[in-house]
Amino acid sequence: LHVVRGNHDAYRGQTAYAGDHWVELPGLAVALLDTTLPGRSTGSLSAEQLTWLDDHAATADVPVLVLGHHQQWIGTRRSDSYFGLHPAASAGLTAVAARRRSIVAYAAGHTHRHRRRLMDCGVPSIEIGCVKDFPGTWAEYRVHEGGILQVVHRVSTLEALRWSERCRHLYTDFGVDYETYALGRLEDRCFAIELRT
């Protein structure tokens, strides 16, 4: 088990699970990036972290899946109060992915939703739902010769399903359709990640 911390793991300055990790698996390397900013809900990446990722991806002879907690900023309005990765860190991540064809995707879970967008260089930037809120999901990555499949599974124990259903209508008081927001489209949950040649 390899863990990358999220904002709730660092609100009070905790250091458990801090740091970046490189995990080599058969047919795949996983780069775990610690995107947390202690005491804050937003995230970032330092220049040192981006260099670390760039150096590892430059020598990788297998596809690299990059995982962090905060979703990437992709858009036109720049704000360092963005709920995910700060815009400069997001741009830095895109620049590394554009340079290193071994990087096939970036995935994060901060938003507790399913959504897939593309970086400017065409690499998928993925958001994944969570097990504790509706719809109570987790993602599996199946590595094969032609690419990687993201397959989303729903929790299966009766207790977990009951809890997930209780969270189906989160934020209704604020006019948010959490069910649609969290579930996303089918093509945001299950899809193929192509290898870059």
Side-chain angles (χ1 to χ4, degrees), residues 60-168:
D61 59 357
V62 293
V64 176
L65 178 62
V66 183
L67 304 176
H69 181 73
H70 293 85
Q71 81 281 7
Q72 192 175 17
W73 175 85
I74 296 176
T76 55
R77 290 182 36 221
R78 296 178 60 92
S79 170
D80 282 342
S81 64
Y82 175 65
F83 188 61
L85 276 180
H86 288 179
S90 295
L93 180 58
T94 296
V96 173
R99 260 193 314 280
R100 304 301 175 202
R101 299 193 63 77
S102 59
I103 296 176
V104 295
Y106 173 72
H110 185 55
T111 58
H112 298 194
R113 75 186 296 181
H114 293 285
R115 182 166 70 160
R116 179 178 53 145
R117 299 171 296 157
L118 295 178
M119 299 179 200
D120 289 343
C121 61
V123 171
S125 187
I126 305 162
E127 295 171 49
I128 308 211
C130 73
V131 295
K132 75 170 194 73
D133 295 339
F134 179 82
T137 55
W138 55 277
E140 170 190 10
Y141 292 96
R142 296 181 184 176
V143 180
H144 59 94
E145 290 137 359
I148 300 166
L149 293 177
Q150 176 179 294
V151 180
V152 168
H153 300 271
R154 191 156 192 220
V155 294
S156 57
T157 66
L158 191 55
E159 296 85 4
L161 285 169
R162 280 187 189 130
W163 179 262
S164 171
E165 287 302 313
R166 286 181 62 195
C167 299
R168 183 183 285 264

Side-chain angles (χ1 to χ4, degrees), residues 8-55:
H8 291 276
D9 304 312
Y11 272 142
R12 294 185 310 275
Q14 310 98 298
T15 59
Y17 313 117
D20 305 320
H21 305 280
W22 184 262
V23 182
E24 294 191 12
L25 302 167
L28 180 74
V30 178
L32 296 173
L33 295 176
D34 182 353
T35 61
T36 60
L37 292 170
R40 300 185 58 192
S41 62
T42 60
S44 194
L45 293 167
S46 68
E48 292 79 17
Q49 287 177 288
L50 292 169
T51 298
W52 175 87
L53 176 62
D54 195 21
D55 291 347

